[in-house]
Amino acid sequence: MKLNSHIRNLFIGILLLLLAGIAVTVFWQSTPVPPSSQAASAVSPHTKKKAVRHKKKSVMRQPIDWRKSSETKPYPKVKKGMWLHVSLKKQRVYVMSADQHVLYTMYASTGVETPERKTPKGTYHIQAERGRYFYSPSEQEGAYYWGSWLHHGEYLFHSTPTDVNKKFIQSDAKDLGKKPSSHGCVHWSVADAKWVYENIPYGMKVVID
């Protein structure tokens, strides 16, 4: 009788151990993986790096605003050998270093592609003529922060144009960085034009293509 009771107790103990093992297995299999772990396992290191680079790039350039600077980063410090590259195709002006690196990118609008209004291509240099404001009765336009780069006052860099009352012309402002709209000059945002007026020296090379 005692032997039967001992066997029965042993059998019950083994059965309880098996049931406990099954319960633990079911628990671990049904426990959800934290969302952060799932995301980490789903994204490769290469994808993470690419996402970071894209984010970094996206904060360097602001939406086009004719009043503000073109980029969120500070303007570069002007050094010997720097030059300006005007891209007629992209409607951009690149501030270039002496070793051919882009230091800053500005939105621009160049001359309309007609014989009378197109911006001439070539290599030029910033000339001595510059000023805080001008108005041309013949063109019925003016602008702030102008500087000459060809024919001593005929072809200029300057801000978004204004009318005779010094009010900015909205139709020209909307074209900035998107399409040509000038009479041959190169338009910039007000902030970019002000920086160039105050910092770019006489004699700096300008390449237009």
Side-chain angles (χ1 to χ4, degrees):
M1 187 70 176
K2 289 182 179 180
L3 182 60
N4 291 338
S5 177
H6 179 72
I7 293 173
R8 184 176 65 252
N9 292 337
L10 180 61
F11 177 78
I12 292 173
I14 293 172
L15 183 60
L16 290 174
L17 287 174
L18 290 173
L19 291 173
I22 293 171
V24 170
T25 301
V26 171
F27 172 79
W28 284 112
Q29 289 181 346
S30 61
T31 302
V33 179
S36 58
S37 299
Q38 290 178 337
S41 62
V43 180
S44 68
H46 175 74
T47 305
K48 287 182 181 179
K49 290 181 181 179
K50 186 176 181 181
V52 171
R53 286 198 300 269
H54 177 73
K55 182 178 181 181
K56 184 178 180 180
K57 183 178 180 181
S58 68
V59 299
M60 298 306 292
R61 190 75 47 76
Q62 298 196 99
I64 298 176
D65 189 327
W66 58 270
R67 295 161 295 190
K68 298 181 179 180
S69 56
S70 295
E71 299 203 45
T72 57
K73 66 181 182 180
Y75 291 107
K77 183 178 180 180
V78 177
K79 297 182 180 180
K80 184 178 180 180
M82 287 172 57
W83 55 286
L84 301 177
H85 174 207
V86 181
S87 173
L88 302 179
K89 180 179 179 180
K90 295 183 178 180
Q91 294 295 283
R92 299 287 188 273
V93 176
Y94 304 100
V95 181
M96 306 294 296
S97 67
D99 56 355
Q100 313 301 313
H101 287 90
V102 177
L103 302 175
Y104 201 89
T105 302
M106 301 179 187
Y107 297 119
S109 284
T110 58
V112 177
E113 285 297 315
T114 63
E116 301 81 14
R117 296 183 60 176
K118 67 180 181 179
T119 300
K121 297 180 181 180
T123 299
Y124 310 98
H125 293 83
I126 299 295
Q127 298 178 323
E129 297 82 4
R130 67 176 66 193
R132 293 185 62 85
Y133 184 79
F134 79 93
Y135 181 78
S136 172
S138 61
E139 304 294 348
Q140 297 185 336
E141 285 186 358
Y144 289 92
Y145 307 115
W146 63 273
S148 177
W149 49 269
L150 180 62
H151 298 334
H152 300 283
E154 181 178 355
Y155 289 94
L156 313 173
F157 290 128
H158 58 71
S159 73
T160 295
T162 67
D163 61 20
V164 67
N165 298 313
K166 295 186 177 182
K167 293 184 178 181
F168 291 101
I169 301 172
Q170 294 302 308
S171 58
D172 285 323
K174 292 177 181 178
D175 290 337
L176 183 66
K178 298 177 182 177
K179 64 179 182 178
S181 63
S182 80
H183 292 83
C185 295
V186 178
H187 299 171
W188 282 326
S189 73
V190 177
D192 290 347
K194 184 175 186 292
W195 178 78
V196 171
Y197 168 77
E198 294 177 345
N199 293 275
I200 296 302
Y202 167 79
M204 179 179 282
K205 183 175 71 172
V206 178
V207 177
I208 302 177
D209 58 21

